[in-house]
Amino acid sequence: MFARNTARALTAPSARLFSSSSARQTKVTVLGAGGGIGQPLSLLLKLDPLVSNLSLYDIRGAPGVAADVSHVDTHSEVNGYAMENLDAALEGTKVVVIPAGVPRKPGMTRDDLFNTNASIVRDLAAAVGRVAPTAHILVISNPVNSTVPIVAATLEKAGVFDPTRLFGVTTLDVVRASRFLASVSGSTPSECDVPVVGGHSGPTIVPLLSQVAKGKGLQGETYDKLIQRIQFGGDEVVKAKDGAGSATLSMAYAGAKFTNSLLRGLNGEKGVITPTFVKSPLFADKGIDFFSSPVELGVNGVEKIHPIGPLSAEEEKLLEACLPELKKNIEKGKAFVA
Ligand code: NAI
């Protein structure tokens, strides 16, 4: 699923993260670059050969992160921008990654973050729409099921929404599914590319283990436990960090990995397919117009939205539980902007 043929040509450990088959280079902006995700994400993007210019913005701390990261001896230029310089950070950018906002504390759901993060994401989206209306926007800030519709509605209001350029980053669910299935099946993550569809929170996360050789035979308690772990893997980290936040390092990895996939697609590489939460026709007849399924990324961003494929009886049940919750989350986001 992540273009392993190209990746094999690179040396470990970066091979699983970055793959570059083309020389074209791009300016990438991180909004929220001073945070727990933003800092390691900025470092990983500095290592991506497809990034020519890295623009780091936060309401606090971005110039310091930029000065630090800029000393890493890769070819890209790095600039840091303080609060009053958002427009300058976005000028001429092709890709905007947004991890700005507050993370969960123990006992919180992602939806509990809505009140704080909805307005942060809306205001940043409005700025992108004004300064860089043709940029591709990658939303990490939670709750993703609502923040992506918020970005869409905000851009729509400004008359610049293009559904081929908006992505909710659900890659961490895919990364977790791959890692956890490898443990359970005694294989390697590279043999366990699990498509994860739906949304990005608890029951809206639907891993399709039946579509992977290593996952297809799992049953009973082993199957149930693995599904539970993939759906609620974020809680493991929140609990272990004990009040100090949620996943930051694995999320930075996942964010850099998805950004690299998009950049490869934008540069003309064929066959770059990965799950991501986009405006989607798959369940539009049920009133659900955003959904994550494997998406082919190309020169315009979203090239092709693939269907979810055949489901096992268990997966049908997971999807049934996902849809009403996802619908509620999407409507909440839309209502916020309306
Ligand atoms: P953090 O609190 O460590 O960092 C957030 C950063 O955003 C801070 O540096 C803060 O100053 C900045 N910020 C706040 N308002 C801003 C604004 N208006 N403009 C620019 N920057 C602003 O939080 P962390 O751990 O980095 O998490 C960030 C978000 O990512 C949270 O909403 C979290 O729930 C989400 N997340 C998403 C995941 C996913 O799979 N999509 C996985 C893990 C976390």
Side-chain angles (χ1 to χ4, degrees), residues 293-312:
S293 71
V295 169
E296 181 158 1
L297 302 167
V299 291
N300 300 309
V302 174
E303 199 70 38
K304 184 170 181 213
I305 295 169
H306 289 271
I308 58 176
L311 303 187
S312 67

Side-chain angles (χ1 to χ4, degrees), residues 23-271:
R24 196 138 65 89
Q25 323 238 299
T26 311
K27 174 170 174 176
V28 175
T29 299
V30 180
L31 304 180
I37 295 168
Q39 293 201 31
L41 174 62
S42 299
L43 175 62
L44 293 173
L45 291 173
K46 178 75 174 96
L47 306 183
D48 189 328
L50 295 178
V51 177
S52 60
N53 195 300
L54 191 55
S55 174
L56 305 182
Y57 171 84
D58 198 298
I59 53 172
R60 69 183 83 84
V65 176
D68 191 351
V69 165
S70 73
H71 292 187
V72 171
D73 61 350
T74 57
H75 82 288
S76 49
E77 292 290 332
V78 184
N79 292 289
Y81 299 89
M83 186 164 180
E84 61 282 9
N85 293 327
L86 176 56
D87 285 17
L90 290 170
E91 203 68 57
T93 199
K94 180 100 177 168
V95 174
V96 180
V97 192
I98 309 184
V102 292
R104 289 189 290 159
K105 291 198 157 44
M108 287 174 90
T109 66
R110 291 179 181 85
D111 191 53
D112 293 333
L113 303 172
F114 188 95
N115 288 342
T116 312
N117 290 352
S119 54
I120 293 176
V121 170
R122 177 200 56 201
D123 295 349
L124 292 173
V128 178
R130 189 167 39 78
V131 181
T134 61
H136 296 262
I137 304 178
L138 283 51
V139 183
I140 292 173
S141 315
N142 271 316
V144 166
N145 294 355
S146 304
T147 50
V148 170
I150 287 173
V151 173
T154 304
L155 295 175
E156 221 154 10
K157 257 192 173 174
V160 294
F161 177 52
D162 181 341
T164 64
R165 294 197 294 254
L166 175 61
F167 310 86
V169 181
T170 57
T171 315
L172 183 53
D173 304 320
V174 180
V175 164
R176 284 183 180 136
S178 171
R179 181 56 257 172
F180 300 164
L181 174 60
S183 297
V184 168
S185 63
S187 52
T188 63
S190 63
E191 298 170 278
C192 298
D193 268 340
V194 182
V196 182
V197 303
H200 172 68
S201 72
T204 71
I205 297 170
V206 180
L208 302 181
L209 296 174
S210 72
Q211 296 183 9
V212 193
K214 300 283 176 194
K216 156 153 87 206
L218 297 180
Q219 289 173 342
E221 201 186 334
T222 311
Y223 176 82
D224 292 343
K225 275 193 172 157
L226 180 56
I227 293 295
Q228 166 79 16
R229 190 166 186 219
I230 297 167
Q231 289 185 325
F232 295 93
D235 293 2
E236 277 181 26
V237 182
V238 171
K239 191 162 170 242
K241 289 197 174 178
D242 197 16
S246 58
T248 54
L249 303 173
S250 50
M251 180 59 236
Y253 168 82
K257 186 169 184 165
F258 182 77
T259 306
N260 177 261
S261 296
L262 176 65
L263 292 175
R264 284 188 287 127
L266 293 177
N267 283 349
E269 188 178 323
K270 299 288 176 211

